[in-house]
Amino acid sequence: RAIKATTPQSDVTCLRFEPPAASAAALAKSQVMLSSRTSSGHEDPVTGPVGQREWEAFAGHYNRACRGSRATDNKDSYYEIYRNITSVEDCKALCLANQPRCKGMEYSLGRCEIWTREEGIAAWWEPSLEDIDVANQGVFTCERYGWPARYLQPVNGGVGQACRGETSNDKAASYFVNSTVRNLEDCRALCVAADVCRGLSFFINGNWARCEIWKRAIKATTPQSDVTCLRFEPPAASAPALAESQVMLSSRISSGREDPVTGPVGQREWEAFAGHYNRACRGSRATDNKDSYYEIYRNITSVEDCKALCLANQPRCKGMEYSLGRCEIWTREEGIAAWWEPSLEDIDAANQGVFTCERYGWPARYLQPVNGGVGQACRGETSNDKAASYFVNSTVRNLEDCRALCVAADVCRGLSFFINGNWARCEIWTRAIKATAPQSDGTCLRFEP
């Protein structure tokens, strides 16, 4: 907790952590380690060690505005506005300078919102690209700061389990903070924003829901039909696994210069584009789940083993979906553009577990606007440099379909997305994008790892 006062005591020394103001911009990318306290040679069950507070782009990396508990929840009291802020990094630095009040930040060109809503940031909104004033406003970036929700993992299957301390009978009111919430995302946001979060119990029964944010270590559960238990489990720094590996695309050199088509691009990676808990993969919409999109492998014991199967089937595999013992290797040529969240009440936790969906390829989070993005069409060396050999053209439903095509492509240097009324078109560029040309119905995004 922040130290703001002292009291005289002869045998005590109080030291407060005070980083220099000059390094505030660098703090935007830092991680604040929660100190662990020890007693009698063992881990303190309440506070130590937890892991790291980090920035989390929980809603995605492009054109996301922060919201409270739903997409329309944007009260003025939730944030403080700072103007003439020149970058996302400077906005993040302002947030870190206002800990623990600041729960995250929203940035658009020159404008920084420091979110202080006590319950945190649980939702987001995507402004229409056609309505954005790019020159004066830019696109939006929303990130929250705290205990990343992506590290909340199910305990003993999660669904149908209530969190406990040392044993299945170990529960006391001092172990957690209790709140009324609307849904699981509200509960996860409370964990992210909390001073300490070791995990959560989420209770749902009809029209009401309750959330327990645990500040004591969760080491057991007890069966309870209307509850889900998730524990905060940050990855071990010394355990790089195949599932977390990144495959570097080899660059080819021609005539002593960079080959404009293939080299060097960056890294293919795993991307939990839909979030990290209870997400099932889909094609172009939440109901699009044809059998032809994937191959099923049974008796697979972990997400890591499912990912390894995908990596062994490159370049056919575009991602994977895993539930207890069952692995889907997605081979849909257009990639994975959508997801579905199964109802926690309908899941058979013992035989099925919750779902994990991740796609593999060129991560869409690295697609950044070129010259403002909106109202621009991608070009090669100059604004007049465009040839059919530079890109692959496809008809799509929306921008997410186009982004998914980029992720799944053999090579993606960026994309041009065109929308006009009821139709949309997507160009996946295989040549380096170095310029744009104005075009009212176009958006140009470049892959920038």
Side-chain angles (χ1 to χ4, degrees):
R1 188 196 191 284
I3 301 169
K4 297 185 177 180
T6 62
T7 188
Q9 190 168 332
S10 61
D11 59 343
V12 182
T13 299
C14 175
L15 302 179
R16 181 169 59 198
F17 185 77
E18 297 180 359
S23 62
L27 282 174
K29 293 185 177 179
S30 69
Q31 298 174 334
V32 181
M33 177 69 77
L34 184 71
S35 299
S36 62
R37 300 184 303 191
T38 56
S39 175
S40 304
H42 69 276
E43 176 186 317
D44 187 301
V46 176
T47 62
V50 177
Q52 292 178 317
R53 282 180 169 160
E54 301 174 12
W55 287 103
E56 182 178 44
F58 74 105
H61 288 257
Y62 182 69
N63 199 30
R64 301 293 192 260
C66 299
R67 292 296 183 263
S69 63
R70 60 184 73 87
T72 57
D73 186 21
N74 190 36
K75 296 178 182 177
D76 292 343
S77 60
Y78 290 167
Y79 50 83
E80 300 168 0
I81 299 174
Y82 294 80
R83 302 192 184 277
N84 301 316
I85 306 301
T86 58
S87 69
V88 170
E89 287 70 26
D90 287 346
C91 190
K92 286 182 174 180
L94 282 170
C95 178
L96 293 181
N98 281 278
Q99 288 297 310
R101 290 178 61 245
C102 181
K103 311 303 182 184
M105 67 89 216
E106 176 189 299
Y107 181 78
S108 56
L109 193 58
R111 185 180 188 274
C112 172
E113 292 180 3
I114 298 301
W115 274 64
T116 58
R117 180 178 184 259
E118 189 173 351
E119 301 88 347
I121 302 167
W124 53 274
W125 173 63
E126 182 177 4
S128 169
L129 292 174
E130 295 178 340
D131 297 336
I132 290 175
D133 180 357
V134 177
N136 297 314
Q137 185 180 39
V139 293
F140 291 79
T141 299
C142 172
E143 295 192 26
R144 56 191 183 189
Y145 185 78
W147 313 109
R150 63 180 177 273
Y151 298 145
L152 288 169
Q153 299 299 318
V155 187
N156 296 331
V159 180
Q161 300 290 326
C163 300
R164 291 294 184 265
E166 291 290 331
T167 68
S168 61
N169 297 317
D170 183 22
K171 182 177 182 180
S174 61
Y175 291 175
F176 56 86
V177 177
N178 194 44
S179 301
T180 300
V181 293
R182 295 177 61 250
N183 50 42
L184 180 59
E185 285 307 311
D186 282 356
C187 192
R188 284 157 52 94
L190 282 172
C191 176
V192 176
D195 289 340
V196 175
C197 179
R198 307 302 298 267
L200 63 88
S201 275
F202 174 71
F203 303 78
I204 187 165
N205 190 343
N207 294 324
W208 67 271
R210 184 168 64 85
C211 175
E212 294 175 355
I213 299 299
W214 277 62
K215 52 188 180 180
R216 189 205 191 284
I218 299 167
K219 297 184 179 180
T221 62
T222 190
Q224 190 168 334
S225 61
D226 61 342
V227 188
T228 298
C229 177
L230 304 179
R231 181 168 55 202
F232 187 80
E233 298 179 1
S238 61
L242 176 62
E244 300 296 329
S245 68
Q246 298 177 333
V247 180
M248 178 69 76
L249 182 73
S250 299
S251 61
R252 299 187 304 197
I253 304 299
S254 174
S255 304
R257 62 182 179 86
E258 176 185 316
D259 186 303
V261 176
T262 62
V265 178
Q267 292 177 318
R268 280 179 169 161
E269 302 174 12
W270 287 103
E271 181 178 45
F273 74 105
H276 289 257
Y277 182 70
N278 199 29
R279 299 294 192 261
C281 298
R282 291 297 184 262
S284 62
R285 61 183 72 86
T287 57
D288 186 20
N289 190 36
K290 296 177 182 177
D291 293 342
S292 60
Y293 290 167
Y294 49 83
E295 301 168 2
I296 299 174
Y297 294 79
R298 302 192 184 277
N299 301 317
I300 305 302
T301 58
S302 69
V303 170
E304 288 71 24
D305 288 345
C306 189
K307 286 182 175 180
L309 281 170
C310 179
L311 293 180
N313 281 277
Q314 288 298 308
R316 290 177 61 246
C317 181
K318 310 303 182 183
M320 68 88 217
E321 176 189 299
Y322 180 78
S323 56
L324 193 58
R326 184 180 188 273
C327 171
E328 292 180 3
I329 298 301
W330 274 63
T331 58
R332 180 179 184 258
E333 189 173 352
E334 301 88 348
I336 303 168
W339 54 272
W340 173 63
E341 181 177 4
S343 168
L344 291 174
E345 295 177 335
D346 296 337
I347 290 175
D348 179 357
N351 297 314
Q352 186 181 37
V354 294
F355 291 79
T356 299
C357 173
E358 295 193 26
R359 57 191 183 190
Y360 184 78
W362 313 109
R365 64 180 177 273
Y366 296 144
L367 288 170
Q368 298 298 319
V370 187
N371 295 332
V374 181
Q376 299 291 325
C378 300
R379 293 293 186 265
E381 290 290 330
T382 68
S383 61
N384 296 318
D385 183 21
K386 182 177 182 180
S389 60
Y390 291 176
F391 55 86
V392 178
N393 193 44
S394 302
T395 300
V396 294
R397 295 176 61 251
N398 50 42
L399 180 58
E400 285 307 310
D401 282 356
C402 192
R403 285 157 52 94
L405 282 172
C406 176
V407 175
D410 289 340
V411 174
C412 179
R413 308 302 297 265
L415 64 87
S416 275
F417 174 73
F418 305 88
I419 188 166
N420 191 343
N422 294 324
W423 67 272
R425 185 168 63 84
C426 175
E427 295 174 355
I428 299 299
W429 276 61
T430 56
R431 189 206 191 283
I433 299 167
K434 298 184 178 180
T436 62
Q439 188 164 335
S440 61
D441 62 343
T443 297
C444 178
L445 303 179
R446 181 168 56 202
F447 187 79
E448 299 179 2

